[in-house]
Amino acid sequence: MFDYTSLIEQVRRLLGDNKQFTYEESMMQNTSYYITLANEGDIQIEDGAVIIGDEQISSDNYSLNGNIIKFNEPIEAGSSVSIEYTYSTYSDETILKYIGDTIENYISGLTNTDYGFNGTTKTNNNITFNEKSLFVHGTVLNIVGINLLQVAGDAIYIKDGDTTIRTDVSAGQANDLYNKVLSRFLYLLKTIRTNTFQGVVMFSWFSCN
């Protein structure tokens, strides 16, 4: 069984959705149980990354709800606070949903393949390295709002079995940050479709009339 959750971190890295931040307060103005971090989203704080005064605070001594930290004991006025945390716009669950949407609604049709996505796994182990990479690149493009069917439709020419894909159509379809991702997606799609449709003759309506 292939675990689609193994693709989440790859999507996050390619998306650039894993940023480091530091909250610093040289002197708390008031005694408080709460600290509000500047970012909202999926926030992760490693154990020992919260320092009050000169003391590392264990994660057992506070809770995190959204971007608000609640401490078991109040932080005294005049204390210095330093918190290092990682912020992501998309949660793991959200990225996994995008992976499923990308595979089921776009890639399966483009490659004429049922990948058996059922939320987390595939029904067999025959997913290739190129297919995994296609899923990752396609998911990133889907997340940033690029219509995969449109860009693939602009690139694919099918006539009597010809599955040629132009990989230069990315210009103008994505900003500079994602042009390389789009070009790689189209290259992978070309490679996979060449294998999928090898030996298959596809006739258009016009060729039959």
Side-chain angles (χ1 to χ4, degrees), residues 81-141:
V81 179
S82 176
I83 304 171
E84 293 184 357
Y85 62 98
T86 301
Y87 158 75
S88 301
T89 303
Y90 303 98
S91 66
D92 287 356
E93 293 77 12
T94 299
I95 291 179
L96 185 61
K97 288 180 180 179
Y98 270 109
I99 291 172
D101 176 70
T102 301
I103 293 170
E104 293 180 317
N105 296 323
Y106 300 102
I107 292 178
S108 287
L110 291 170
T111 61
N112 195 34
T113 303
D114 180 7
Y115 292 103
F117 182 87
N118 67 359
T120 59
T121 59
K122 185 185 184 301
T123 54
N124 59 60
N125 295 316
N126 295 327
I127 293 181
T128 66
F129 175 83
N130 280 343
E131 286 172 328
K132 295 176 189 177
S133 188
L134 182 70
F135 299 160
V136 170
H137 285 73
T139 299
V140 169
L141 296 172

Side-chain angles (χ1 to χ4, degrees), residues 110 141 146-157 164-175 178-187 189-190:
L110 291 170
L141 296 172
I146 295 175
N147 189 317
L148 299 180
L149 294 182
Q150 179 180 339
V151 296
D154 291 343
I156 299 172
Y157 293 85
T164 301
I165 291 182
R166 292 171 51 204
T167 59
D168 60 346
V169 300
S170 58
Q173 297 287 357
N175 60 37
Y178 297 107
N179 258 330
K180 290 182 179 179
V181 178
L182 180 52
S183 292
R184 181 63 179 170
F185 171 81
L186 292 174
Y187 171 79
L189 183 60
K190 173 182 178 180

Side-chain angles (χ1 to χ4, degrees), residues 60-85:
D60 294 332
N61 295 320
Y62 63 85
S63 59
L64 179 65
N65 184 11
N67 65 331
I68 299 175
I69 304 175
K70 180 182 179 181
F71 293 88
N72 298 345
E73 300 292 335
I75 305 172
E76 298 295 335
S79 300
S80 62
V81 179
S82 176
I83 304 171
E84 293 184 357
Y85 62 98

